[in-house]
Amino acid sequence: TSILIYYNSILVKGGIWKVKEQQIIEAARKLFSKYGFKKVSMDEIAREANVTKKTVYTYFSSKEELFKYFIDEELINMKKIIEEVEAKNENFYETVHQAIYKLLKYKNKRKFLKNAIDEAEVLKDPIIIKDLKVIDAEIQNYIKQKLIQFIQENYIEVADVDIATFLIYKMYIALMFDWNDENKKLDEKAIADNILKFLKFGLGKEKR
């Protein structure tokens, strides 16, 4: 009986531990999304989570660690997007297009990431900049791995994989976000048609 009581108390404590951790995570998410990383203090996170500051530090050693938690969370979500696209078994061009487009659309839609990107541009905070680079690196690494895969399968040929990766990534950035209202309106089909045509006839071995 005493053993059962002991294990039950551990389970209860474990449950409380997870609940408090989740309270802190959701409080930080809300405050970071609303006010940005720089303006939010650990005191404010504790107050929003309805716990003491000491409790916050029990779970996260710093505000930077909390920020990195959200970056890691975004990376997990982005990997799920890639897995969903890959499961469709489309050809190289369509797979790469769908993955990059969905990843960038996701990145632009997430309030936490949008605020962090804006904050990084304005405040030039090295911590935010460093963590955000992980997101861009993840997308570019996906492009690079797909290029390497299809080069090995003799489906495409490129002179320099790193340069090709960078150019493909920047094309999507340019058409999805830098293309302004002064130019003609572009929908997903227009972006796909233009970039896929460039990829197919700029990289592919087949002739027109």
Side-chain angles (χ1 to χ4, degrees), residues 27-42:
R29 189 198 311 280
K30 178 181 176 181
L31 294 174
F32 286 163
S33 296
K34 192 172 183 180
Y35 302 109
F37 170 76
K38 201 76 173 177
K39 290 181 180 178
V40 177
S41 68
M42 291 294 260

Side-chain angles (χ1 to χ4, degrees), residues 12-75:
V12 169
K13 285 178 183 177
I16 293 170
W17 180 276
K18 290 303 293 181
V19 167
K20 284 190 176 181
E21 182 184 39
Q22 201 58 40
Q23 283 175 228
I24 293 164
I25 288 166
E26 293 310 318
R29 189 198 311 280
K30 178 181 176 181
L31 294 174
F32 286 163
S33 296
K34 192 172 183 180
Y35 302 109
F37 170 76
K38 201 76 173 177
K39 290 181 180 178
V40 177
S41 68
M42 291 294 260
D43 285 299
E44 288 167 324
I45 292 170
R47 194 158 49 247
E48 182 68 31
N50 199 28
V51 297
T52 64
K53 188 161 85 166
K54 183 181 178 182
T55 301
V56 176
Y57 279 111
T58 302
Y59 295 88
F60 298 95
S61 62
S62 64
K63 193 171 71 166
E64 289 74 18
E65 188 181 338
L66 258 168
F67 186 82
K68 189 176 184 307
Y69 171 90
F70 293 120
I71 293 294
D72 290 341
E73 186 180 66
E74 296 297 350
L75 287 172

Side-chain angles (χ1 to χ4, degrees), residues 70-193:
F70 293 120
I71 293 294
D72 290 341
E73 186 180 66
E74 296 297 350
L75 287 172
I76 291 168
N77 291 337
M78 292 169 86
K79 282 174 182 174
K80 286 177 183 175
I81 291 171
I82 290 172
E83 286 168 5
E84 287 171 8
V85 172
E86 293 281 342
K88 294 178 182 179
N89 290 319
E90 301 276 5
N91 63 42
F92 164 73
Y93 304 107
E94 195 58 45
T95 299
V96 169
H97 164 68
Q98 283 192 32
I100 301 170
Y101 188 88
K102 287 178 185 292
L103 287 171
L104 290 176
K105 202 170 181 181
Y106 172 85
K107 177 185 169 186
N108 194 50
K109 188 175 67 175
R110 296 290 283 181
K111 193 172 181 182
F112 164 74
L113 285 175
K114 282 188 75 174
N115 285 358
I117 291 165
D118 291 343
E119 202 171 354
E121 289 176 358
V122 174
L123 301 177
K124 309 295 182 189
D125 188 297
I127 294 167
I128 301 174
I129 291 169
K130 180 186 174 185
D131 285 339
L132 285 175
K133 278 183 178 178
V134 176
I135 299 283
D136 283 335
E138 185 71 21
I139 300 173
Q140 291 190 53
N141 185 57
Y142 169 76
I143 299 169
K144 183 175 180 178
Q145 293 309 311
K146 293 307 291 183
L147 286 172
I148 291 170
Q149 177 190 337
F150 283 95
I151 288 168
Q152 289 172 346
E153 292 176 9
N154 207 34
Y155 192 51
I156 61 170
E157 55 183 358
V158 298
D160 189 299
V161 174
D162 291 320
I163 291 174
T165 297
F166 181 80
L167 288 174
I168 291 169
Y169 182 63
K170 288 300 181 181
M171 272 196 297
Y172 277 91
I173 294 285
L175 288 181
M176 288 179 71
F177 308 121
D178 296 339
W179 188 271
N180 57 48
D181 294 335
E182 294 175 10
N183 301 305
K184 67 178 181 180
K185 189 173 177 62
L186 287 178
D187 57 16
E188 182 177 356
K189 185 178 184 304
I191 292 171
D193 288 346

